[in-house]
Amino acid sequence: MFSSDRNIETIGQLVRLIKHSIGLQGEYLKLDIMDKTVRIITALLLFAVLTLIVIAILVFLSMSAALAMGEAIGYPAAFGIIAAFYIVVFILFLAFRKSWIERPLIRFITSLLME
């Protein structure tokens, strides 16, 4: 006879193992998504903190440079020179945003997600 009790029991065990395997894969997927989400959030928070620190440093350096130049060329001209410098930096960032910002950011996020 084709189906005996032993064959039915073996098929039942196989079905239970497949269900267990699918459940484990689902749990692994949840943990993987959680891990990648935590990595991205951590990277964003680190970037935000470092950005705030760099902004504070730039403000103090800009003020000290403008005050140092102000004694020699006058304060309005010194602050104008500092502002012109930041305008040039802004224009450079706009011109080269793909190679300086977008591509490295895409590579970084892709590397986080592919691990």
Side-chain angles (χ1 to χ4, degrees), residues 31-85:
L31 289 173
D32 190 43
I33 289 171
M34 189 182 339
D35 177 56
K36 290 176 181 179
T37 303
V38 168
R39 285 180 187 227
I40 289 175
I41 290 172
T42 304
L44 288 173
L45 287 174
L46 180 65
F47 178 75
V49 168
L50 291 177
T51 300
L52 289 174
I53 291 170
V54 167
I55 288 172
I57 291 169
L58 285 175
V59 166
F60 284 110
L61 286 176
S62 298
M63 290 296 291
S64 63
L67 291 174
M69 287 188 305
E71 295 177 5
I73 61 173
Y75 292 105
F79 281 99
I81 290 171
I82 298 297
F85 170 76

Side-chain angles (χ1 to χ4, degrees), residues 10 13 17 29 41 43 46-47 53 59 61 75 78-79 82-83 98 100 104 107 110-112:
T10 305
Q13 287 177 348
L17 286 174
L29 184 62
I41 290 172
L46 180 65
F47 178 75
I53 291 170
V59 166
L61 286 176
Y75 292 105
F79 281 99
I82 298 297
K98 284 194 185 286
W100 289 357
R107 270 189 248 121
T110 303
S111 71
L112 280 179

Side-chain angles (χ1 to χ4, degrees), residues 1-8 11:
M1 180 166 241
F2 176 70
S3 65
S4 66
D5 289 339
R6 186 176 174 116
N7 287 343
I8 292 173
I11 291 173

